[in-house]
Amino acid sequence: MPTKQLPLIATPANDKAKLASTSTPLTHRLVFGALSGMGAATFCHPLDVIRVQMQTDGVAYKNTFDAATNIYHRAGIVEGLYAGVSAAYLRQWMYGSFRIGIYAYLLEQTQLQNVANGKNKNDISFGQKLAMGCCSGGIGSFIGTPSELALVRMSGDNKLPPAERRNYSNVIDCITRIGKEEGITKLWRGAKPTVLRATLLSSAQLGVTSEIKGHLAKSGWFGPNGAYFYGLPMMFCSTLCSSFVANIVANPFDVMKSRLQSMPVDASGKAMYSSMGDCFVKSVKSEGILVLWRGFTPAFVKLAPYTIISLTLADKLTRAITGKDAL
């Protein structure tokens, strides 16, 4: 008489091994993040060029349309509106990859841990999601600061008088020359406010997107589990809302950063502001609290398309390849 075989009982060790095998490697997440960022940069780079040229000294523009028209007539599309696009792509591999990739990896690891503990995989607090966004944004921003500097330099170079132009041939030439001519540490010029801003910006963008996406998926407004039209309407609403929140959080740092970078220095070498804190106090005291959100509308017009495109691409690219969500 054949012996009846009892079903195998999974041990905690076996469960953990099985869960680990279903985890998407961090390297894959980083690649998905970089590619989605490059896709967004391809569409949004002209907005960055216009922003940089309007914020720096030189030719004065009446408004955004005037800036775009003049840049196009002066240098065309490739050398004008897409000047420095190689730096924008490098920035996505140095910054966007870590920002989106680390967040998606941390989110998945937390979900797997919840499953291992017998909990709902999406039992993740909003505070945890914000903390993950802070972590990924801070790391990515510090690593990506050199490419950010190169992006600003290359985007604004054709605005300078011919004799003052640096004429970088590509992003590698730009970074190499800055390192040789100004010192390696200068590649991280402005890193402190940049990292602080990116930490809060990523926290709002990624954390809020995940949180709103979860609520919308449960609501049924966009079909079962938000699957209506491949989930694109749900992602659009989630990322649009997160863009608005992120802009509220980041705009004060943009104002402080711009004022610190353009502040006048008197004959004795004394600057108007001694630090970011000093700039904050003096600005609010003289102009009121709303000065911190000056330029909110153009900043949102720039941030929203990039957030919508990059996070939607990251989510859909990850799902197409791995069968799992990124956010």
Side-chain angles (χ1 to χ4, degrees):
M1 180 177 179
T3 304
K4 186 177 181 180
Q5 190 169 1
L6 296 174
L8 291 175
I9 299 176
T11 64
N14 288 336
D15 285 343
K16 289 181 180 178
K18 184 178 179 181
L19 288 171
S21 67
T22 64
S23 174
T24 303
L26 176 59
T27 51
H28 294 187
R29 295 283 189 183
L30 297 180
V31 172
F32 298 154
L35 293 177
S36 62
M38 288 179 69
T42 300
F43 287 98
C44 301
H45 185 69
L47 295 173
D48 243 347
V49 172
I50 293 168
R51 174 187 63 83
V52 169
Q53 295 211 12
M54 290 183 72
Q55 289 179 342
T56 53
D57 294 329
V59 180
Y61 301 115
K62 299 175 182 177
N63 49 51
T64 302
F65 180 76
D66 179 57
T69 304
N70 275 276
I71 293 169
Y72 172 74
H73 286 307
R74 183 172 65 247
I77 295 178
V78 176
E79 298 298 327
L81 293 172
Y82 276 89
V85 70
S86 60
Y89 288 152
L90 178 63
R91 180 175 180 267
Q92 296 309 319
W93 283 96
M94 295 179 71
Y95 168 56
S97 61
F98 286 92
R99 182 177 73 94
I100 298 175
I102 291 177
Y103 178 85
Y105 180 78
L106 292 175
L107 187 66
E108 183 184 37
Q109 293 305 306
T110 306
Q111 290 173 334
L112 292 176
Q113 189 61 50
N114 283 345
V115 173
N117 293 334
K119 299 164 63 177
N120 186 310
K121 78 168 188 175
N122 292 319
D123 187 13
I124 304 172
S125 70
F126 184 38
Q128 286 178 287
K129 294 171 185 175
L130 293 177
M132 293 175 196
C134 281
C135 176
S136 63
I139 294 172
S141 179
F142 182 77
I143 294 173
T145 295
S147 60
E148 178 77 24
L149 178 62
L151 174 62
V152 172
R153 290 278 186 95
M154 295 179 71
S155 297
D157 199 47
N158 64 33
K159 181 183 177 182
L160 299 172
E164 297 178 19
R165 292 177 188 171
R166 300 178 179 92
N167 296 314
Y168 299 119
S169 57
N170 53 56
V171 64
I172 302 301
D173 176 55
C174 178
I175 291 177
T176 302
R177 282 175 54 186
I178 292 173
K180 287 181 178 179
E181 297 168 7
E182 304 173 39
I184 295 296
T185 58
K186 296 303 181 183
L187 289 170
W188 277 268
R189 179 179 290 154
K192 186 176 180 180
T194 300
V195 170
L196 181 57
R197 174 187 178 275
T199 297
L200 297 175
L201 182 71
S202 294
S203 176
Q205 278 182 323
L206 299 168
V208 173
T209 294
S210 290
E211 186 72 8
I212 293 178
K213 180 186 172 189
H215 287 298
L216 291 179
K218 294 176 184 177
S219 71
W221 295 347
F222 298 95
N225 202 32
Y228 175 72
F229 202 68
Y230 306 103
L232 293 176
M234 181 177 69
M235 278 301 297
F236 176 82
C237 291
S238 301
T239 51
L240 182 64
C241 291
S242 71
S243 299
F244 186 77
V245 174
N247 204 46
I248 292 174
V249 172
N251 207 80
F253 293 93
D254 274 337
V255 172
M256 297 303 106
K257 183 181 175 183
S258 296
R259 293 193 171 205
L260 285 168
Q261 290 177 336
S262 61
M263 63 182 173
V265 178
D266 61 24
S268 64
K270 185 177 180 180
M272 179 180 291
Y273 308 114
S274 59
S275 65
M276 181 180 290
D278 182 53
C279 179
F280 174 86
V281 172
K282 289 180 177 177
S283 297
V284 172
K285 189 175 180 179
S286 62
E287 301 174 60
I289 192 68
L290 291 181
V291 69
L292 299 176
W293 287 276
R294 183 169 293 171
F296 182 90
T297 300
F300 177 70
V301 169
K302 170 190 172 291
L303 180 64
Y306 175 81
T307 302
I308 292 169
I309 295 171
S310 63
L311 297 190
T312 300
L313 282 176
D315 202 56
K316 298 310 169 188
L317 180 62
T318 303
R319 174 160 283 281
I321 296 175
T322 68
K324 294 179 283 188
D325 292 334
L327 303 168

